[in-house]
């Protein structure tokens, strides 16, 4: 009888261990609809961008499972944050390369240094754009609101120009592996910034439409 009770206890413990291992999957189900709605909203919004696949990939990766995206302003904020992150990542790489080339007194140093200056300016412009968008969310509809909108559009456009200027300075033919890597990273910054600008235009458009008589 004691052996039977012991065996029964082992079976019960085994069943409980199975149930506990399955429980997390059940607990995660309520979050699925939220993620699906966010994903659908992102996909619909990204259709207006120049690089929709990149847009969906970047925004879906950046957004956490418990986040909800319900407005164009939220989406523009996330898109600008993605752009700033990519710009900072590219800057860190180009800065490292520039230091190495300077120590070697390589002829490629000046081109890379000029590109670094462009990226630095782009990071500054995107940082100010994100701050301004937050202020914009607190402004009432009026001249001040459109002033904030104009600031964001100007700064993001400048950051986009900075990225493309760097890309244009790197020749397409007979390019070294180093320059090709830099060009690829900065081109990615340009593409995500282009998407962020398009999503911000989409957000700002509703205020411009409301202003028309």
């Amino acid at each position: 009888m004691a052996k039977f009770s012991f065996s029964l206890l082992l079976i019960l413990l085994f069943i409980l261990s199975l149930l506990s291992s399955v429980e997390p999957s059940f607990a995660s189900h309520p979050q699925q609809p939220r993620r699906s709605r966010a994903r659908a909203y992102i996909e619909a919004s990204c259709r207006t961008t120049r690089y929709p696949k990149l847009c969906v990939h970047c925004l879906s990766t950046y957004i956490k499972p418990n986040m909800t995206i319900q407005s164009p302003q939220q989406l523009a904020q996330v898109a600008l944050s993605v752009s700033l992150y990519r710009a900072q990542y590219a800057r860190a790489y180009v800065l490292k390369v520039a230091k190495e080339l300077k120590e070697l007194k390589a002829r490629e140093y000046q081109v890379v240094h000029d590109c670094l200056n462009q990226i630095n300016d782009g990071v500054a412009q995107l940082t100010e754009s994100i701050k301004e968008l937050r202020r914009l969310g607190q402004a009432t509809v009026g001249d001040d609101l459109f002033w904030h909108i104009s600031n964001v559009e100007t700064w993001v456009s400048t950051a986009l120009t900075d990225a493309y200027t760097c890309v244009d300075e790197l020749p397409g033919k007979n390019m070294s592996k180093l320059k090709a890597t830099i060009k690829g990273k900065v081109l990615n910054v340009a593409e995500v910034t282009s998407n962020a600008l398009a999503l911000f235009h989409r957000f700002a458009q509703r205020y411009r439409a409301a202003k028309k008589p």
Side-chain angles (χ1 to χ4, degrees):
M1 183 69 180
K3 290 183 178 180
F4 176 78
S5 299
F6 181 73
S7 300
L8 182 60
L9 178 61
L10 289 176
I11 293 172
L12 289 173
L13 290 173
F14 177 72
I15 292 172
L16 287 172
S17 66
L18 288 177
L19 290 175
S20 64
S21 65
V22 173
E23 185 178 0
S25 63
F26 288 124
S28 64
H29 282 321
Q31 295 180 356
Q32 295 298 328
R34 179 180 293 177
R35 286 200 294 269
S36 297
R37 288 194 295 270
R39 172 84 180 194
Y41 183 74
I42 289 170
E43 289 177 351
S45 302
C46 284
R47 293 192 191 107
T48 63
T49 66
R50 188 173 182 181
Y51 308 99
K53 289 184 180 180
L54 178 64
C55 177
V56 171
H57 172 73
C58 290
L59 297 184
S60 299
T61 302
Y62 190 87
I63 292 174
K64 298 177 182 178
N66 61 343
M67 289 177 65
T68 56
I69 301 296
Q70 299 176 336
S71 71
Q73 182 175 357
Q74 285 179 305
L75 201 61
Q77 189 82 43
V78 173
L80 286 173
S81 297
V82 169
S83 183
L84 177 60
Y85 172 79
R86 295 294 180 94
Q88 290 172 330
Y89 175 76
R91 179 176 66 176
Y93 178 79
V94 177
L95 178 60
K96 176 177 176 292
V97 171
K99 287 181 178 178
E100 293 174 353
L101 292 177
K102 186 176 182 180
E103 291 175 359
L104 295 172
K105 296 182 179 180
R107 61 180 181 179
E108 294 177 317
Y109 168 73
Q110 191 58 50
V111 174
V112 174
H113 183 263
D114 291 344
C115 182
L116 179 60
N117 287 337
Q118 297 293 336
I119 297 174
N120 280 332
D121 185 66
V123 168
Q125 300 291 339
L126 290 170
T127 300
E128 290 303 314
S129 299
I130 291 172
K131 292 178 182 178
E132 192 73 351
L133 182 53
R134 288 174 185 157
R135 297 187 196 103
L136 197 155
Q138 301 170 357
T140 57
V141 177
D143 292 338
D144 286 346
L145 184 138
F146 292 105
W147 179 71
H148 288 305
I149 287 176
S150 177
N151 286 341
V152 174
E153 289 177 335
T154 299
W155 292 333
V156 178
S157 296
T158 301
L160 183 59
T161 300
D162 287 333
Y164 277 126
T165 299
C166 173
V167 170
D168 291 342
E169 288 177 352
L170 299 171
K173 295 181 180 180
N174 301 321
M175 193 187 312
S176 66
K177 184 178 179 181
L178 182 65
K179 286 184 178 180
T181 302
I182 293 174
K183 187 170 185 176
K185 292 181 182 298
V186 179
L187 186 59
N188 180 260
V189 173
E191 290 173 352
V192 295
T193 302
S194 171
N195 286 344
L197 184 59
L199 292 173
F200 180 78
H201 281 324
R202 182 172 177 267
F203 157 68
Q205 185 59 36
R206 64 176 183 172
Y207 291 104
R208 291 199 172 102
K211 188 180 180 181
K212 293 179 180 178

